[in-house]
Amino acid sequence: MQQSQLESGAESYEEFERLHSSQLTLSGLPKHYWPTLHRKISAGIYDAGDNFCRIKSGRPLQEYCPHSLADDQQDIVLYDWRVKVVASDGIRLDESDHVYLIDHFFSFLAENLDAQLAEVMSDEKARSRLEAITFPGLDEADSGLQADKPPPICREHVWRLASFYRIQRPNASDAASASTSVWYVMDEFGSSIRHSDAPSVKVFPFLHLTSGTAYSVMFPLRSLALYDEATRDWAEGSGAANSSAEPGPRQCRLLAERFHPQLFECFSDRPRLRRQLPCYPTPGSQPAGHNPAIFAPEFFARHRVNESLPSLERLSGSMPTVASLGRALRVFSNVDFVVNYLTKGDQFQLTEDPDNADILWLADHFKDYEGLSIARPGVFVNQFPFENVLSVKDLLASLAMEAKAAWYPLTFNLELEMDRFCAHIGEALAKAGDVEDSDSDDRYWIVKPWNMGRGLGIFLCDAFRLGLVELVKRCQATPCIASRYIHRPLLFKRDDVDGAGVKFDFRYMIILRSVRPLMAYVYKNFWLRFSNKPYSLDPAVMQDYGTHFTVMNYQADQALKNINCQEFVPLFDAQYGERNLTWSQIEQQLVLPTLLDIVRLAVRHPPPKGIAHNPQSRAIYAADLILGWDSAASASGGGISGLKCYACEVNFCPDLTRACAYIPGFMDHIFSTLFLNEPINCHTLVEEETPFDFK
């Protein structure tokens, strides 16, 4: 149990209220409980056990199951915990004493769960506590479980019980990482409070700022009599509970609550029946397809903050050139790789004064295109209005889903389409039947926060096992998209990994010079990223970073494998020579057509759903791509016809330090292509002579 870090009286009630009033108000805790909460925190009082009691309750397996049982399952009883009132006078809503502290058994960051769970399980006392919370019937002879050998605690057992709170990171490098979600599992008492659509108590996380200690706080929502059950809403904040068959995100969030570990174990060898359990979505229970809201202009506009369009009337003249100015173009930049690597000569000259610049190359998002067009119509900027239809994950996914783009895996916006995603999984499960190790394209999903970079917050989900339990929980904390995982990737054999095949992806630079007319190029050099371990879909390594992820730049415990594209191409061609598969084929038939389609899609619609035309704008984007086989047969021996190219993401203002360090003249090539209209070392994607019309 946590111990209070305060001596009694060290923090006055007035100070407590000043620091915590906004937190308590948002939680809905009535104010007459606040002094009691302060007193109990100050004195370290955990007294819920004086008025409530945990009771083990058993129900026959048949009551949980929608199907018939085998003969050896007829007598199985499943147990769970319930919390009931044992105060003889009950719990009165108007009595200020009835607010209770609940300890946190352990806390974790989502990305560190495996390590922290291993630490818990290595401690015999902690392991026993977690097993008792998870499997209440371990000590019952008729529970269907062996008391001396409980099923192993897995991630899903923890995620079923987990809740979260958010804390601020004062030294965060960007807005997306300015706060983080801390997950926790409550102690035996808190974890035993069952769900109800008509809850009798509310439980919420509370961070005591003075001591830095996190608690959960419980208070009654109505008066309770002796032996009444204390229940809470496990899907609070997801809408009203009209019925158990209610469609929508609320029922999806309750999939985790419906995961009964003992029930799941009873059908460990009967996958078809196990997939009919309540912790899996029901086929046809939700609307099919995508939510039309994600295709509406309003969806794209909601991501915009104070962004204006240029005044095209003020930009009717030609943009400046070295010839028209009679001097070098002056460049202001707050980006190191531009300052350090751009050649200063007859064509470009650096300036420290942005008001004296012809080119603004900025690291931060530029917003005032209208102001720039009016005040300084002869100045370039390295961004386009509304370009985040490319660089924000959920916007690019929405464009691709509406266009049915073959280069983007099927994706759902889990903030607005959780119900449709679960419905899709329900249909896929029904088709899978008795196949435990199904190769279905709908089995594996990669879940990405749409507002984070550097691989932060990304995880994999095996929807045919118990991945949905983790998914529905984690998406409560962070808005995410879920894309089909490219689970049959084209592999590259690494000699330093015993010649095993590892995942790899690659980055091409898209150079956008104009929207109307459309003029875009691709830099010929590309960059590769490799996983560090042999590729495998074994459940034991499903969340292993070195097996499934390739972004190693920011991982202190991962080695970064560097192979430049000139070295890679002959190695790749040698590995796939027997299939008559070459990198030149892949680039010409798959990569470049995919990049062209991405660019055309990004400018297809008027703002806010598409990149806006702006004569002052020039930009470079990093497109991260991956190759995958369309079937298991293709993966085992197919050629170019069985291979597909997929977009992972497109990045705004990418870090080009590595490119500048390894490619002599790289920044000169980029600036020449963008500002001198002289492409160097580029493939031409498109050079239209006349502007297109929006359709």
Side-chain angles (χ1 to χ4, degrees):
M1 178 180 291
Q2 299 168 341
Q3 296 297 318
S4 173
Q5 298 180 24
L6 295 175
E7 296 295 333
S8 180
E11 176 191 48
S12 68
Y13 174 73
E14 290 73 21
E15 180 70 4
F16 173 83
E17 182 175 339
R18 184 184 68 82
L19 290 173
H20 303 97
S21 61
S22 60
Q23 193 180 163
L24 295 174
T25 300
L26 287 172
S27 71
L29 181 67
K31 200 164 185 177
H32 69 278
Y33 291 127
W34 294 13
T36 303
L37 179 62
H38 167 252
R39 175 175 58 82
K40 291 185 177 182
I41 289 176
S42 298
I45 298 173
Y46 295 84
D47 60 345
D50 293 346
N51 295 313
F52 296 89
C53 180
R54 296 167 68 229
I55 298 174
K56 191 181 299 182
S57 175
R59 292 166 59 193
L61 176 61
Q62 182 66 68
E63 292 186 20
Y64 287 87
C65 301
H67 40 68
S68 59
L69 301 177
D71 291 342
D72 60 351
Q73 295 176 320
Q74 295 293 332
D75 297 328
I76 290 179
V77 176
L78 298 186
Y79 291 86
D80 58 19
W81 292 108
R82 303 186 182 196
V83 172
K84 295 202 171 186
V85 175
V86 293
S88 57
D89 295 332
I91 302 295
R92 289 184 53 181
L93 197 60
D94 59 350
E95 292 181 346
S96 62
D97 283 346
H98 295 306
V99 59
Y100 301 94
L101 294 179
I102 299 175
D103 200 3
H104 290 173
F105 172 53
F106 82 104
S107 301
F108 60 94
L109 301 179
E111 59 270 24
N112 297 334
L113 173 58
D114 287 337
Q116 290 174 265
L117 181 57
E119 184 177 338
V120 169
M121 298 304 290
S122 67
D123 181 283
E124 184 176 353
K125 182 178 180 180
R127 183 182 69 248
S128 297
R129 289 182 64 189
L130 186 55
E131 288 173 348
I133 291 172
T134 306
F135 297 103
L138 281 178
D139 56 351
E140 303 291 340
D142 59 348
S143 66
L145 302 171
Q146 297 180 36
D148 59 339
K149 189 177 180 181
I153 299 292
C154 66
R155 294 170 61 93
E156 289 71 30
H157 298 145
V158 175
W159 281 115
R160 172 182 178 266
L161 299 170
S163 301
F164 75 95
Y165 57 90
R166 299 189 70 82
I167 58 173
Q168 298 299 311
R169 286 174 165 169
N171 299 317
S173 58
D174 53 63
S177 57
S179 66
T180 188
S181 299
V182 177
W183 293 87
Y184 61 91
V185 173
M186 291 185 286
D187 65 10
E188 290 87 341
F189 178 84
S191 295
S192 299
I193 304 173
R194 296 197 310 159
H195 166 76
S196 172
D197 287 338
S200 60
V201 302
K202 181 172 182 176
V203 179
F204 66 90
F206 177 75
L207 182 61
H208 185 236
L209 300 177
T210 308
S211 65
T213 304
Y215 307 88
S216 286
V217 175
M218 182 184 78
F219 67 94
L221 296 175
R222 60 177 181 267
S223 294
L224 301 173
L226 179 65
Y227 303 134
D228 279 354
E229 184 177 0
T231 58
R232 65 187 180 99
D233 184 358
W234 282 38
E236 186 174 358
S238 59
N242 297 323
S243 71
S244 59
E246 175 200 358
R250 177 179 178 81
Q251 293 304 309
C252 298
R253 283 178 60 173
L254 289 175
L255 290 175
E257 185 271 335
R258 292 172 184 151
F259 164 49
H260 193 300
Q262 294 168 259
L263 178 60
F264 197 80
E265 288 297 322
C266 290
F267 295 95
S268 59
D269 59 345
R270 302 171 71 186
R272 182 180 63 83
L273 297 183
R274 186 169 64 185
R275 291 173 189 147
Q276 296 178 32
L277 298 177
C279 59
Y280 284 114
T282 304
S285 60
Q286 315 292 349
H290 287 286
N291 184 344
I294 70 168
F295 304 140
E298 293 77 13
F299 171 77
F300 293 81
R302 72 178 188 157
H303 288 278
R304 209 75 53 214
V305 180
N306 299 324
E307 186 165 0
S308 62
L309 287 171
S311 174
L312 296 180
E313 299 80 25
R314 300 294 189 98
L315 300 174
S316 57
S318 299
M319 294 300 293
T321 64
V322 172
S324 67
L325 293 174
R327 59 169 173 78
L329 293 169
R330 299 186 184 116
V331 179
F332 170 82
S333 180
N334 56 4
V335 179
D336 288 344
F337 56 75
V338 175
V339 174
N340 295 332
Y341 290 99
L342 179 64
T343 299
K344 299 80 178 172
D346 296 336
Q347 296 170 323
F348 301 103
Q349 180 183 7
L350 289 176
T351 177
E352 295 182 357
D353 181 7
D355 295 331
N356 191 39
D358 304 302
I359 299 172
L360 300 174
W361 193 284
L362 308 174
D364 301 324
H365 290 285
F366 185 79
K367 298 294 183 182
D368 190 13
Y369 294 97
E370 181 181 24
L372 186 67
S373 66
I374 294 173
R376 306 180 65 193
V379 173
F380 294 102
V381 66
N382 68 318
Q383 300 168 40
F384 277 85
F386 297 88
E387 66 185 2
N388 63 1
V389 298
L390 267 181
S391 61
V392 177
K393 296 181 183 70
D394 64 329
L395 300 187
L396 179 59
S398 293
L399 286 178
M401 293 304 98
E402 184 178 36
K404 296 180 171 57
W407 45 264
Y408 205 96
L410 177 65
T411 297
F412 290 88
N413 184 311
L414 298 181
E415 184 182 16
L416 300 176
E417 298 184 303
M418 178 66 84
D419 52 347
R420 294 167 186 260
F421 171 71
C422 288
H424 183 86
I425 297 302
E427 297 292 343
L429 288 167
K431 294 175 183 177
D434 289 312
V435 182
E436 172 69 3
D437 297 319
S438 171
D439 189 47
S440 167
D441 289 338
D442 289 316
R443 176 170 182 172
Y444 302 103
W445 297 78
I446 184 166
V447 185
K448 307 175 184 179
W450 58 258
N451 61 344
M452 292 185 182
R454 306 197 303 273
L456 295 173
I458 298 176
F459 64 98
L460 301 184
C461 167
D462 181 349
F464 283 21
R465 295 177 71 87
L466 282 172
L468 289 182
V469 175
E470 177 175 352
L471 181 147
V472 298
K473 279 298 184 79
R474 292 183 68 169
C475 289
Q476 296 173 26
T478 306
C480 294
I481 60 172
S483 301
R484 277 178 175 163
Y485 185 50
I486 309 305
H487 69 288
R488 292 183 291 264
L490 182 69
L491 302 177
F492 181 78
K493 294 179 181 178
R494 281 179 55 172
D495 291 339
D496 57 342
V497 190
D498 298 325
V502 302
K503 270 187 64 175
F504 74 97
D505 57 29
F506 46 94
R507 170 172 286 189
Y508 277 80
M509 299 297 175
I510 298 174
I511 304 168
L512 183 60
R513 196 162 80 198
S514 172
V515 168
R516 302 187 70 195
L518 184 58
M519 304 180 74
Y521 310 86
V522 172
Y523 198 69
K524 288 185 177 179
N525 293 66
F526 57 95
W527 290 262
L528 295 128
R529 304 184 300 192
F530 301 90
S531 295
N532 286 334
K533 297 180 182 179
Y535 179 73
S536 172
L537 289 172
D538 188 313
V541 296
M542 184 56 62
Q543 301 301 333
D544 182 72
Y545 195 94
T547 301
H548 290 281
F549 295 93
T550 62
V551 180
M552 304 300 171
N553 313 50
Y554 310 100
Q555 303 294 321
D557 60 340
Q558 296 286 343
L560 176 64
K561 177 69 173 178
N562 273 317
I563 302 179
N564 65 42
C565 58
Q566 290 88 353
E567 296 171 318
F568 170 79
V569 169
L571 292 173
F572 177 89
D573 289 353
Q575 289 187 18
Y576 285 93
E578 293 183 358
R579 300 197 190 189
N580 295 317
L581 184 61
T582 68
W583 190 259
S584 177
Q585 282 181 303
I586 289 172
E587 186 173 73
Q588 293 299 319
Q589 297 182 39
L590 297 176
V591 174
L592 294 180
T594 295
L595 295 174
L596 176 57
D597 203 24
I598 290 173
V599 171
R600 288 195 180 279
L601 181 60
V603 302
R604 177 181 297 180
H605 303 281
K609 200 174 176 179
I611 298 177
H613 170 56
N614 182 19
Q616 294 181 282
S617 292
R618 305 288 189 272
I620 180 170
Y621 307 102
D624 295 334
L625 308 173
I626 191 170
L627 298 163
W629 298 103
D630 61 6
S631 67
S634 295
S636 63
I640 188 75
S641 62
L643 203 57
K644 292 184 177 181
C645 183
Y646 299 96
C648 302
E649 63 182 30
V650 179
N651 294 280
F652 151 82
C653 196
D655 184 355
L656 302 176
T657 303
R658 190 174 160 203
C660 293
Y662 289 99
I663 303 174
F666 175 77
M667 283 312 304
D668 297 335
H669 300 168
I670 299 301
F671 269 64
S672 176
T673 305
L674 288 174
F675 302 109
L676 303 180
N677 299 343
E678 297 174 4
I680 298 178
N681 195 36
C682 290
H683 299 287
T684 298
L685 272 188
V686 57
E687 287 182 332
E688 294 181 344
E689 295 184 359
T690 58
F692 64 91
D693 291 324
F694 293 115
K695 296 181 180 180

